[in-house]
Amino acid sequence: MPDLSAFPIAKRWPAKHPDRLQLYSFPTPNGVKVSIALEEIGLPYEAHAVDIGKNESWTPEFLSLNPNGKIPAIVDPNGPGGKPLGLFESGAILLYLAEKTGKLMPADPALRYETIQWVFFQMAAIGPMFGQVGFFHKFAGRDYEDKRPLERYRDESKRLLGVLETRLDGRDWIMGDYSIADVSILGWVRNLVGFYGARDIVEFDSLKRVPAWLERGLARPAVQRGLDIPKRP
């Protein structure tokens, strides 16, 4: 039986199944990337809810695994060489899971790097920009008298949606076949037009391919399951 005692996070969130991959997360756009990927891949795992509303990601136990204090993070008891591996950053975790299992990633080296570039596109652009729209449109930023920040992030988010719209011309999925590129972006687009309530201000319904892509993605059973993992307390 794998020994996770070297990971302080396992003391606060004890493993019932220490032989399985341990997921420490919350159902946010970044968090559900990993739960969706795990559901799609079919790799056995155990999910632990890290309640970010209670600042649990800033506890010493969580920080011991991710010093940046952000979900998600994982501990794989069966990491490289059969040794336990702790890992944070959702994009890095997606790459690790895809390469560990040979799923959700093209085998062709050129297509593999092309897939990785779209994951980085999400990490570097879509996540930060959509998140700022959420802050300035739905949360505390909406009370700011100066609307230029919202306008800036709204316009950039519209541009990024346009990049996706162009990419999806003639494709059902970002890489043609479903991959971690889609997994990384689905939750963010869903949040932008749903939870953030920004559908109208980014003119989402003026697009054709992105809404259809989102609908296809959300119809996948593994995506439906992953969006609700871990359960909110």
Side-chain angles (χ1 to χ4, degrees), residues 165 204-213:
E165 181 80 358
F204 189 73
D205 293 319
S206 69
L207 304 171
K208 295 182 179 179
R209 303 179 194 108
V210 175
W213 164 85

Side-chain angles (χ1 to χ4, degrees), residues 1-193:
M1 186 68 68
D3 182 8
L4 302 181
S5 62
F7 296 91
I9 197 168
K11 297 178 181 178
R12 186 180 182 99
W13 291 277
K16 295 181 180 178
H17 305 281
D19 57 323
R20 301 179 185 177
L21 185 145
Q22 304 294 305
L23 170 64
Y24 308 93
S25 189
F26 205 67
T28 67
N30 281 333
V32 299
K33 293 180 205 173
V34 180
S35 53
I36 289 171
L38 286 165
E39 289 293 318
E40 293 279 11
I41 289 169
L43 191 67
Y45 71 101
E46 182 177 355
H48 305 274
V50 179
D51 192 341
I52 59 175
K54 295 181 179 178
N55 292 321
E56 289 184 347
S57 65
W58 296 103
T59 58
E61 296 87 353
F62 190 87
L63 290 171
S64 70
L65 182 56
N66 182 2
N68 193 36
K70 303 292 184 180
I71 59 94
I74 64 169
V75 172
D76 184 358
N78 302 299
K83 298 179 180 179
L85 172 70
L87 202 60
F88 66 90
E89 279 296 336
S90 56
I93 296 171
L94 287 182
L95 291 174
Y96 172 72
L97 294 175
E99 294 185 345
K100 175 185 175 74
T101 63
K103 298 180 178 180
L104 300 178
M105 177 83 84
D108 177 85
L111 294 178
R112 174 181 174 273
Y113 279 108
E114 193 175 339
T115 304
I116 291 171
Q117 81 177 353
W118 285 102
V119 174
F120 282 21
F121 170 73
Q122 181 277 306
M123 300 290 292
I126 282 183
M129 295 301 105
F130 287 12
Q132 293 289 359
V133 169
F135 176 79
F136 286 103
H137 181 64
K138 180 182 176 71
F139 298 113
R142 68 182 180 180
D143 296 327
Y144 291 6
E145 185 174 337
D146 187 348
K147 298 305 178 185
R148 286 175 295 180
L150 172 59
E151 292 167 359
R152 169 179 169 79
Y153 294 119
R154 175 204 64 198
D155 291 348
E156 181 63 2
S157 294
K158 287 170 64 176
R159 188 189 70 80
L160 294 171
L161 287 170
V163 173
L164 279 180
E165 181 80 358
T166 299
R167 175 64 183 181
L168 289 165
D169 186 9
R171 298 180 177 91
D172 283 344
W173 307 107
I174 291 170
M175 287 301 300
D177 293 329
Y178 185 77
S179 71
I180 57 171
D182 303 284
V183 172
S184 69
I185 297 173
L186 274 168
W188 276 105
V189 177
R190 172 180 178 263
N191 234 50
L192 179 70
V193 301

